[in-house]
Amino acid sequence: MSEPQSPAFAFLEPGDPFPAPGTVTEELGPLAIGGDLSVSTLVAAYSQGIFPWYSSGPILWWSPQPRMVLQTGQFKLTKSLRKTIANLHQTGRLQIQLDGHFQTVIGRCARVPRAGQNGTWIGQDIQDAYGELHQAGFAHSVETWLDGELAGGLYCVNIGKAVFGESMFSLRSDASKIALAALVALCRKHRLPIIDCQQNTAHLASLGAHEMDRQEFLTRVATLAQQPTPDWSFTPSDWQHLHPHILR
């Protein structure tokens, strides 16, 4: 009789440390299961390149191999999106706001349908937990306001100079892409080199994201997470870090 196989993931109690990615035999499955969604746990997770992702039941923690990453210098700003942002900015119809309505943004990320997706993983427990993470200064919203209305946006996690994209929504054409473009401009301004996108999708690839070996990603996160946190504010002049023609 063969010996029983060890589990492919670690079981966590609240407060337990995470196993180092690669020390268990996860492939497409989670790194760990259990634990909690406290601010301290989430900060510890993201600082190690680990994030929660589950729809119901116990918390599942992931560290994919490879990792989808958007290097901010490689963001693909299409000519049409540049013209859209420039026109909206120059006519006074566009406002980018950071952290103005975080709970509204994460709530809409949970509820607004997206092509190719059924349902959502952003349950009320995730919304509550990331709301607390936002209050602690680690989670942020980037909001696209068009004609005085919240038209789209995204939320992300920031630890040191490491940025981890989570989810976005759009109620009007290109509104979520505009929010991402604003985040890229902010990252370039403060020399934040990468935005974690977690897993590969054709949409992310079309924006310039690419796969990175997990160990390289984790090494970069370990260094970036120890650096000073930037000022999360956005002014119209920050568009120059995306493309100078937007301000003309």
Side-chain angles (χ1 to χ4, degrees):
M1 180 181 295
S2 62
E3 295 184 2
Q5 295 289 319
S6 60
F9 46 78
F11 290 94
L12 303 178
E13 296 292 336
D16 281 353
F18 291 97
T23 59
V24 294
T25 57
E26 87 281 10
E27 291 294 337
L28 299 178
L31 172 73
I33 182 170
D36 60 59
L37 294 173
S38 65
V39 169
S40 60
T41 296
L42 288 170
V43 170
Y46 280 97
S47 298
Q48 299 171 69
I50 300 167
F51 60 90
W53 183 41
Y54 65 104
S55 57
S56 62
I59 304 167
L60 303 178
W61 300 92
W62 302 79
S63 181
Q65 163 69 330
R67 194 73 166 237
M68 195 68 168
V69 173
L70 175 61
Q71 300 200 48
T72 56
Q74 297 181 5
F75 175 67
K76 292 182 179 179
L77 178 65
T78 63
K79 186 177 181 179
S80 61
L81 182 60
R82 175 176 63 82
K83 286 185 174 181
T84 295
I85 296 173
N87 179 65
L88 291 169
H89 166 70
Q90 293 165 11
T91 56
R93 298 175 58 203
L94 169 64
Q95 179 187 10
I96 298 296
Q97 187 170 358
L98 304 187
D99 295 335
H101 296 77
F102 181 87
Q103 289 300 149
T104 299
V105 169
I106 192 172
R108 289 186 179 174
C109 286
R111 293 189 297 272
V112 175
R114 286 188 291 273
Q117 294 188 16
N118 295 319
T120 181
W121 60 272
I122 309 173
Q124 192 60 51
D125 52 348
I126 287 286
Q127 294 181 49
D128 293 343
Y130 281 76
E132 293 181 8
L133 198 63
H134 167 66
Q135 292 297 323
F138 295 105
H140 301 278
S141 60
V142 181
E143 305 159 14
T144 300
W145 290 77
L146 297 177
D147 303 318
E149 296 182 352
L150 181 59
L154 61 84
Y155 74 99
C156 59
V157 174
N158 169 228
I159 299 175
K161 287 192 172 182
V163 179
F164 307 86
E166 284 298 314
S167 187
M168 59 178 61
F169 80 95
S170 189
L171 299 178
R172 293 174 62 175
S173 179
D174 289 333
S176 60
K177 288 183 181 179
I178 292 171
L180 178 59
L183 176 59
V184 169
L186 180 70
C187 287
R188 289 180 180 179
K189 174 183 177 180
H190 294 292
R191 299 183 179 181
L192 311 185
I194 60 175
I195 300 171
D196 173 39
C197 302
Q198 299 177 351
Q199 301 198 50
N200 194 342
T201 68
H203 175 65
L204 291 170
S206 73
L207 298 173
H210 67 278
E211 291 183 338
M212 179 181 290
D213 179 76
R214 177 171 61 191
Q215 190 53 56
E216 179 184 354
F217 172 77
L218 296 179
T219 298
R220 298 192 71 177
V221 166
T223 299
L224 292 170
Q226 299 301 315
Q227 297 182 22
T229 301
D231 173 33
W232 277 80
S233 62
F234 189 94
T235 63
S237 64
D238 291 337
W239 284 120
Q240 67 183 311
H241 299 283
L242 186 69
H243 198 287
H245 289 172
I246 292 175
L247 299 179
R248 294 180 181 177

